Amino acid sequence: MGKTYVRVDDRLIHGQTIVAWCPTLNIKQIIAIDDVSAANPMLKSILAMSVPKIYDTHIVTTEEALALLKEPCKENRLVIVKFPERLMALKEALTGCEHIFLGNMAKRPDTIHQMTGATGIFYLSEQDVLNLNTLKAEGFSISFQQLPTASETDWDAFVKSL
């Protein structure tokens, strides 16, 4: 049985995903979850065209993702969402997830927490923190990490800095 990894990155699929994360985690299936992108044929096409054919790639809605995640996967998969709130709707389907890697999250009107440094720039709202605390309490392993070769900051260490 393959492993499931999660990446929170508001860019969804991009060069770092394909060049760094997928090879490092031995990913064979990519599931990018964004209701807006999945409903827009042009956005969906733009995201998909950047992915080499060696990856089984899906750009789907949350509902479609729930169905996909219920299917057993023999190889490693990477689930990508833009923001932590989407994980709350998916958490039951993500049981057995190896790790949640927090990547780029740009500043939004409701963001009040910021983490900067060698690991990247991350902006989180109070709701993001609550959601991630909930996931951590339910057993998910969570850290900030821009690239697999970059330094990693554990979620617990970040929360202590608030």
Side-chain angles (χ1 to χ4, degrees):
M1 183 83 133
K3 297 176 181 178
T4 298
Y5 298 92
V6 173
R7 178 107 175 123
V8 179
D9 191 320
D10 61 9
R11 301 167 294 175
L12 289 176
I13 301 171
H14 55 91
Q16 291 174 348
T17 307
I18 302 306
V19 175
W21 285 103
C22 288
T24 298
L25 300 174
N26 196 27
I27 299 300
K28 300 299 180 204
Q29 182 183 60
I30 300 170
I31 304 172
I33 305 164
D34 180 51
D35 294 346
V36 173
S37 298
N40 182 320
M42 183 167 288
L43 283 176
K44 193 171 180 175
S45 175
I46 290 167
L47 284 169
M49 84 171 63
S50 67
V51 181
K53 301 292 181 216
I54 61 170
Y55 299 108
D56 177 22
T57 305
H58 305 270
I59 296 135
V60 296
T61 65
T62 304
E63 187 174 315
E64 292 168 328
L66 288 168
L68 265 175
L69 290 168
K70 287 180 184 174
E71 296 175 13
C73 187
K74 293 180 181 157
E75 299 179 299
N76 292 356
R77 69 172 96 181
L78 179 64
V79 173
I80 310 169
V81 298
K82 285 187 172 192
F83 305 108
E85 74 176 286
R86 184 67 55 217
L87 296 177
M88 301 310 288
L90 299 168
K91 68 181 179 174
E92 301 301 321
L94 293 172
T95 54
C97 166
E98 285 289 310
H99 197 86
I100 298 172
F101 294 99
L102 303 176
N104 270 17
M105 285 179 274
K107 188 164 180 55
R108 296 168 277 150
D110 64 341
T111 55
I112 59 172
H113 303 291
Q114 177 183 0
M115 177 181 195
T116 59
T119 57
I121 299 174
F122 311 95
Y123 289 93
L124 297 170
S125 68
E126 194 59 38
Q127 189 61 54
D128 292 334
V129 172
L130 291 172
N131 290 341
L132 291 165
N133 278 337
T134 298
L135 292 167
K136 181 70 176 177
E138 292 180 11
F140 288 91
S141 174
I142 305 170
S143 65
F144 291 95
Q145 192 170 13
Q146 190 67 17
L147 290 166
T149 55
S151 61
E152 183 176 1
T153 302
D154 184 73
W155 177 251
D156 292 333
F158 174 74
V159 171
K160 288 177 186 173
S161 72
L162 297 179

